Amino acid sequence: MKRTEVIIAADRNYLVEREKNVPISRYFGEDTFNATTMRERLPEAVFNRLQDTTIRGRKPDLETANAVAHAMKEWAIEKGATHYCHWFQPMTGSTAEKHDAFIEFTSDGTPIEHFSGKQLIQGEPDASNFPSGGIRSTFEARGYTAWDISSPAFILKRGIGSALCIPSIFISYSGEALDKKTPLLRSIEAINTSAVNMLRVLGNRKVRRVYTTLGPEQEYFLIDQDYYYKRQDLLLAGRAVLGATPPKGQELGDHYFGSIRERIFSFMHDVEEELYKLGIPAKTRHNEAAPGQYEIAPLFEEANLAVDHNQILMETLRSVATKHRLAALLHEKPFAGINGSGKHLNWSLADDLGNNLLNPGRTPQDNIQFLVFLVATIRAVYHHADILRATIASSGNDHRLGSNEAPPVIISVFLGEQLTGILEDIEKGIVSNGTNGAIIDMGISKLPVLSKDNTDRNRTSPFAFTGNKFEFRAVGASQSISFPATVLNTIVAESLDILAGKIAAKGENLRQATLDVLKDEIGTIKRVLFMGDNYSKEWEAEAGRRGLPNKKTSYESLPDLATPKAVALFEKYRVLSSAELMSRYQVRLERYVKEIDIEAGTLCDMVDSQVLPAAIRFQGELASSILSAAQALGDDSLLAPQRELLASLTGLIGETMRLVAELKGNVERAESLHSEEEKAAAFGTTVRETIAKIRSRVDAIELVIDDEIWPLPRFWEMLFIK
Ligand code: ADP
Ligand code: MG
């Protein structure tokens, strides 16, 4: 499609009919088999049994499952579903579904709709093609899915099709986790145990359960679908592997929070309608910093639900975009030269009485509890910064992290002045006087003033305390938030246990014991606290002096998942066995290699079949026009600038051709290396460097070539024409 035609297409606006003209509250969650629906549709006894098993984290018995399956099927069929599927999250980072029709046949061949408790509880999708990082040998390739009773089943609608989706875990025959949900659920249990234990040590007898809350802020780009289909790189690699930076980007700051264009507004409305039906509490929407970039942020939810919902949200962005003839790009860096996309992962702990444990609270009593959980979290980040950094390692995030738009790979914690001051006081022992009065006097009483709206913000910090939660800001836009959350839960569980042990050991005066333990800890972990500009060179040097890890690329960071320290941690909390952890490490490394491999292949293909033919054609036209002009003028002294252009273009073509050959050689060599570690290192260095060199030549060609001949949608068009 020619550029002008796209503009016309964009003009048609593809306004999709508004589906619901009723308040959100009236249809919120209508496509989920949630507690309200279950209460309506299940016999009371069954409903109560199910609630009980959910709370206790147990498996329902077959009789209960049969009753639930029946009600679920009836409900789903009324909603238009013909099929059901166990919906799970393999280690690819996306979601998986294999649909089975409800239809079955009785012995005399009569068709009936049937769905049993057994089918609800367990599936055998086989699914041997999913990455397992070596867990499953081919002779036992079968994987099993099992109903995750803590996340409600929902109706998936795409086009005219509908299916009942049952959120599930995915495990091997021998019970090893093959997915991202199983370890998350285990980590939720781990932090529950450790946090409740800590509360007991602190004298809190009322709380029975502690759970993680997550609120992911999702950034994404939208471009016209016609452009998308014309870019092999966006289609295959998710990012533009070539393309000149436009003369205007985000420097005027006119996109951020700007007025939302009509076409985009319609899209957002449509997305939100879908999300509300699925019970996903989308709350905030706005234009982001880069042109063509947007953000959607739901209200926080219990971690397991938030993870499922973020997966559904990403899929909904993609599928609704298609309906509007747009393409949603979730890659961390689709366009070089302008901001990439991340996902701020807000993380906190809540108890079953409705309190946020990272809320400073109103009384000193709460404050001491708050300070313990605060210090435990900082302690966890300090001791496991390497693992935390590895959770966000990906080929996409390598383009974003540490480049003046996103936090650096040095993990530090921002607390703000007030809290930093309080921790300093505790460390100095100013708060060492263990009476109630002293605590109130010394300024812990200042804590309630610390509202979540305080302006003490630091946008450059990778891990910032923002009033009543931590914000892990370095998470990539396209990645599942499951593993970062799993790791946070596990490392904080460990720190809570260690602190609880120390506090309990000191005995006697609880308050004094707690402050003594905090004092000790702060002395060590304060090295991870940083209030300044994380983007600055000075910080990098300072962090080096403090001994904080700084692994710039993902292939250097990923091995930190496989250290004896990491194995011991995950085994101790039964979140991942050594084999399960190793498999995740392998899968991540392999993925890193494959993604760069695909980028390299796509770049070579585009250069060979699109860029060079266009460049050579323009070179020919230029050459003949110089010849004929010289002839017509009878004097070629005026043609020197055009000759220079021809010479420089010819030079660029030659260099590009040489570099493409070099890249192909690099890729071949990298692929032939033995270990995945060596491959990752080769792809992360020589392959990436050659890709960058080619790109610089190709982008220079794009800027001199006839726009009519240039075969690809350019950045300025994709980002600004809507
Ligand atoms: P901002 O941090 O941008 O100023 P908010 O504080 O309102 O905005 O929240 C941003 C995100 O943090 C939202 O997605 C919200 O759901 C999430 N959030 C707020 N409180 C919590 C919490 N206790 N636990 C987890 N996420 C939270
Ligand atoms: Mg934001």
Side-chain angles (χ1 to χ4, degrees), residues 134-318:
I135 282 191
R136 285 188 294 174
S137 35
T138 34
F139 60 83
E140 204 9 294
R142 196 170 281 279
Y144 295 84
T145 52
W147 178 27
D148 168 19
I149 181 171
S150 59
S151 181
F154 60 93
I155 304 287
L156 177 82
K157 288 185 191 152
R158 281 190 211 122
I160 59 165
S162 295
L164 168 70
C165 285
I166 300 149
S168 301
I169 59 164
F170 180 44
I171 51 175
S172 75
Y173 178 72
S174 44
E176 278 139 331
L178 294 170
D179 67 347
K180 295 195 175 245
K181 194 190 256 283
T182 308
L184 175 72
L185 292 174
R186 294 176 185 157
S187 77
I188 289 171
E189 262 330 290
I191 196 146
N192 171 40
T193 310
S194 303
V196 170
N197 174 56
M198 173 57 95
L199 291 173
R200 294 286 180 273
V201 168
L202 296 178
N204 183 329
R205 308 244 145 253
K206 283 173 279 172
V207 169
R208 284 187 312 160
R209 210 181 143 68
V210 171
Y211 57 95
T212 308
T213 51
L214 294 178
E217 305 170 42
Q218 177 75 49
E219 293 179 340
Y220 61 97
F221 279 87
L222 288 173
I223 64 168
D224 192 284
Q225 194 181 49
D226 291 323
Y227 290 139
Y228 178 69
Y229 287 153
K230 292 198 88 183
R231 298 274 320 205
Q232 190 185 339
D233 47 5
L234 290 178
L235 262 157
L236 302 188
R239 64 184 289 262
V241 294
L242 51 88
T245 308
K248 178 179 189 278
Q250 65 221 17
E251 49 283 276
L252 297 181
D254 50 358
H255 195 256
Y256 188 62
F257 286 10
S259 87
I260 302 168
R261 301 275 292 267
E262 188 183 358
R263 189 181 186 193
I264 306 301
F265 206 160
S266 297
F267 162 81
M268 288 174 167
H269 181 92
D270 208 3
V271 166
E272 286 152 4
E273 243 173 44
E274 294 302 318
L275 298 180
Y276 295 144
K277 283 190 270 177
L278 293 172
I280 301 175
K283 178 78 174 169
T284 308
R285 62 185 182 204
H286 61 82
N287 286 359
E288 254 301 328
Q293 193 186 28
Y294 311 92
E295 180 177 304
I296 177 166
L299 285 175
F300 66 93
E301 298 177 283
E302 181 279 315
N304 183 37
L305 215 50
V307 168
D308 284 0
H309 284 173
N310 183 248
Q311 293 291 344
I312 299 175
L313 182 144
M314 290 195 285
E315 283 174 21
T316 306
L317 287 174
R318 290 198 188 97

Side-chain angles (χ1 to χ4, degrees), residues 213-215 217 297-300 346 348 356 452 457 469 471:
T213 51
L214 294 178
E217 305 170 42
L299 285 175
F300 66 93
N346 294 274
S348 190
N356 176 351
K452 105 185 175 62
R457 288 279 171 115
K469 63 188 191 291
E471 219 174 308

Side-chain angles (χ1 to χ4, degrees), residues 509-553:
N509 184 332
L510 177 66
R511 204 155 270 147
Q512 187 58 55
T514 308
L515 286 171
D516 285 349
V517 169
L518 293 185
K519 178 179 148 106
D520 273 1
E521 287 299 329
I522 294 165
T524 312
I525 65 177
K526 65 180 178 191
R527 266 177 284 173
V528 81
L529 300 180
F530 182 62
M531 302 252 279
D533 179 3
N534 282 261
Y535 297 170
S536 70
K537 277 270 153 256
E538 292 74 35
W539 167 233
E540 197 172 349
E542 166 66 19
R545 284 191 293 276
R546 294 191 193 182
L548 301 180
N550 181 10
K551 301 220 168 133
K552 293 219 165 63
T553 59

